[in-house]
Amino acid sequence: MRDDGRRFYAPMAWVRGGWQHDVLLEVDAAGLWSRVEAGASLAQRAGATSLGGPVLPGIVDAHSHAFQRAIAGLTERSPGGDDDFWSWRDRMYRAANRITPEQLEAIAAFLYAELLAAGYTQVCEFHYLHNDADGRPYADPLELSRALARAARRVGIGLTLLPTLYMRSGFAAKGLRDDQRRFASTPQSVLAIAEAVRAGASDAGRITAGVAIHSLRAADVAAIRETAQGARGLPVHIHIAEQRREVEDCQAEHGLKPMEFLLAQAPVDARWNMVHATQASASELAALRQTGASIVICPTTEANLGDGIFDFATWAGESGVWSVGSDSHVTRSWREELRLLEYSQRLHARKRNVAAQAGVAESSAAALFQGALEGGSAAAGLPLGGIAVGQRADFAVVDADAPELAGLPADHVLDALVFSTPESKFARVFVAGDEVLGGGEIAELARGFRAAMKALWA
Ligand code: ZN
């Protein structure tokens, strides 16, 4: 034990999928839970730091493109008639193609602080900006990766950096478009970045790495296999079946839908995280379930981009592993992601409490929260499965006086946190047993963010 601050008492804590009362919590020197004991007596909890309100484990943000925080609020107009994912992407590329390492760091630092404040304690950064604005490799191939790692370290959030393979502009293309020049990468370059990040990893595994393949359209099968096999033991992420046009292009080129094609051609196993899968059919999801792979659902971004609605009832009904991601960062709150996930299912099925029924749980919020929690470890490749011995001690303390909780029985706290808005802030947030977001830090990060935005869009 490092000091008294690493021994806590929580009046309520979310343990093994439900609320436990009078919980004594201890954190070891590595930042992992070493003791979790419900029903602790007054004598047992003597000297422990009281956390005041209900305690929830931290949630993994399983899909982030930090630079896209810079276009939140800037793409909600349609100047030239029809607007869809592909026209949004053109505008997103304008940010991708001009951002400097310093601007990326300032934007990511502010974003990561926002994510922490919302109760995300680890972020999986799907990182495909590798080269300078002219498409030339930086002298240090990790220039932009290091900017993201510095941002994460500064605010104290955990980071799983996913250097991303991006080699061509479409299924039948030979290379990249000019406006994709910063993405150019190879299996070797991606694996080298992941290895360098892991070699420099410190702080209780807070900064670590996996790999990503941008999409089936961005790399051929040989390169996908080489990347996945080279990243031994690490999480592998891929955007898949997000848009209808991508499905049609894959069928035209290969005669199979994206998920069918990937399962037939790549060594998909429990390391794999399929981002979006909004267009995947029930039979594709059933086949995926056999591999042990996870789905990363990004409800607010999928809604913002008009991607479609993921077949959550089928996936959760088969006990499929899933996590949640804020992706383009139009929202920086897992509570809003889970709420929209459930509401989109209700609107589609014209029923209520879809998550509760699919997960055979009493509470939709409990089924959603527990699902997002359990999928986070697979996405991040770290022990982030909640408040249990051996898992990393990441947690958020709920403000016991939050208006959305007023007058509710204690066992409805999570229901209200997800389904009653506006959302109140968490009182305190901890990563690996350490409190984060102290003092006036957010105000200073906001100043850096504003300066970067001004320079980007002047
Ligand atoms: Zn994405």
Side-chain angles (χ1 to χ4, degrees):
M1 203 182 307
R2 206 167 63 181
D3 55 46
D4 280 348
R6 312 272 283 193
R7 189 161 176 269
F8 304 100
Y9 162 70
M12 282 169 68
W14 187 263
V15 180
R16 291 189 302 276
W19 290 114
Q20 301 283 332
H21 295 266
D22 294 325
V23 186
L24 183 66
L25 299 162
E26 289 180 7
V27 183
D28 69 17
L32 307 178
W33 294 118
S34 54
R35 186 177 181 191
V36 176
E37 193 166 328
S41 66
L42 276 172
Q44 280 176 314
R45 63 202 209 215
T49 301
S50 178
L51 293 169
V55 171
L56 286 173
I59 289 288
V60 173
D61 185 344
H63 192 62
S64 164
H65 307 286
F67 77 91
Q68 292 180 16
R69 176 66 182 85
I71 60 167
L74 290 176
T75 66
E76 307 307 324
R77 299 181 185 188
S78 187
D82 219 21
D83 192 18
D84 61 13
F85 172 88
W86 306 99
S87 47
W88 169 84
R89 193 181 72 161
D90 288 340
R91 277 176 280 167
M92 180 267 281
Y93 279 1
R94 291 214 290 272
N97 282 325
R98 64 174 72 174
I99 199 164
T100 67
E102 296 74 23
Q103 290 161 354
L104 179 64
E105 183 175 343
I107 286 162
F110 181 61
L111 164 70
Y112 292 164
E114 291 183 291
L115 297 178
L116 275 175
Y120 288 117
T121 53
Q122 180 87 14
V123 58
C124 299
E125 187 63 41
F126 197 108
H127 173 53
Y128 55 86
L129 293 179
H130 302 302
N131 304 311
D132 73 15
D134 298 322
R136 285 188 298 258
Y138 285 102
D140 174 5
L142 275 85
E143 180 83 24
L144 292 167
S145 301
R146 289 192 211 284
L148 292 164
R150 277 194 303 272
R153 226 171 246 132
R154 178 167 174 193
V155 301
I157 199 169
L159 171 70
T160 302
L161 188 81
L162 304 167
T164 302
L165 180 66
Y166 208 134
M167 302 179 79
R168 62 182 191 187
S169 61
F171 284 97
K174 290 275 174 278
L176 295 163
R177 301 185 341 188
D178 180 59
D179 59 1
Q180 299 170 323
R181 60 192 178 274
R182 298 193 82 173
F183 315 162
S185 44
T186 63
Q188 294 79 11
S189 71
V190 162
L191 291 167
I193 294 173
E195 195 42 51
V197 170
R198 276 163 49 79
S202 58
D203 6 58
R206 268 186 259 193
I207 310 282
T208 184
V211 294
I213 293 131
H214 181 273
S215 53
L216 291 179
R217 63 179 187 272
D220 65 25
V221 164
I224 292 172
R225 284 195 196 127
E226 190 179 345
T227 305
Q229 284 164 352
R232 261 181 278 263
L234 302 182
V236 179
H237 291 231
I238 183 169
H239 289 127
I240 194 156
E242 178 178 10
Q243 281 281 321
R244 226 169 250 172
R245 192 168 108 191
E246 182 199 348
V247 176
E248 290 160 3
D249 288 353
C250 187
Q251 284 179 304
E253 188 66 21
H254 300 294
L256 293 169
K257 293 190 218 172
M259 194 78 86
E260 294 171 336
F261 179 69
L262 185 67
L263 291 175
Q265 297 290 336
V268 174
D269 59 20
R271 290 191 298 138
W272 286 68
N273 293 265
M274 309 290 175
V275 184
H276 302 307
T278 37
Q279 306 299 324
S281 66
S283 64
E284 287 176 287
L285 293 177
L288 181 69
R289 181 74 189 97
Q290 300 306 311
T291 68
S294 307
I295 304 271
V296 182
I297 312 171
C298 308
T300 62
T301 294
E302 286 155 12
N304 186 276
L305 299 181
D307 284 343
I309 301 173
F310 174 65
D311 184 359
F312 181 76
T314 294
W315 187 246
E318 296 194 20
S319 304
V321 182
W322 62 277
S323 53
V324 73
S326 62
D327 191 354
S328 68
H329 306 297
V330 284
T331 294
R332 282 85 62 194
S333 160
W334 59 254
R335 292 155 71 177
E336 190 168 344
E337 300 293 351
L338 297 185
R339 182 163 59 247
L340 184 60
L341 174 56
E342 170 68 23
Y343 281 174
S344 66
Q345 303 297 314
R346 291 187 190 187
L347 288 165
H348 181 71
R350 298 178 202 181
K351 290 187 173 159
R352 302 193 70 248
N353 288 307
V354 176
Q357 289 171 49
V360 202
E362 192 177 5
S363 151
S364 282
L368 291 163
F369 183 79
Q370 194 61 24
L373 177 64
E374 289 172 5
S377 288
L382 290 170
L384 293 168
I387 300 174
V389 171
Q391 301 296 300
R392 201 172 74 193
D394 289 13
F395 57 99
V397 183
V398 176
D399 174 4
D401 296 323
E404 64 266 38
L405 305 182
L408 289 179
D411 72 339
H412 281 65
V413 164
L414 192 59
D415 306 56
L417 289 177
V418 176
F419 291 106
S420 181
T421 63
E423 299 174 359
S424 298
K425 284 186 168 156
F426 288 109
R428 304 171 74 182
V429 181
F430 293 73
V431 177
D434 294 329
E435 185 160 12
V436 291
L437 298 177
E441 200 176 24
I442 287 201
E444 198 190 321
L445 294 168
R447 275 194 292 279
F449 178 79
R450 281 198 203 94
M453 289 292 281
K454 199 171 165 193
L456 260 179
W457 304 121

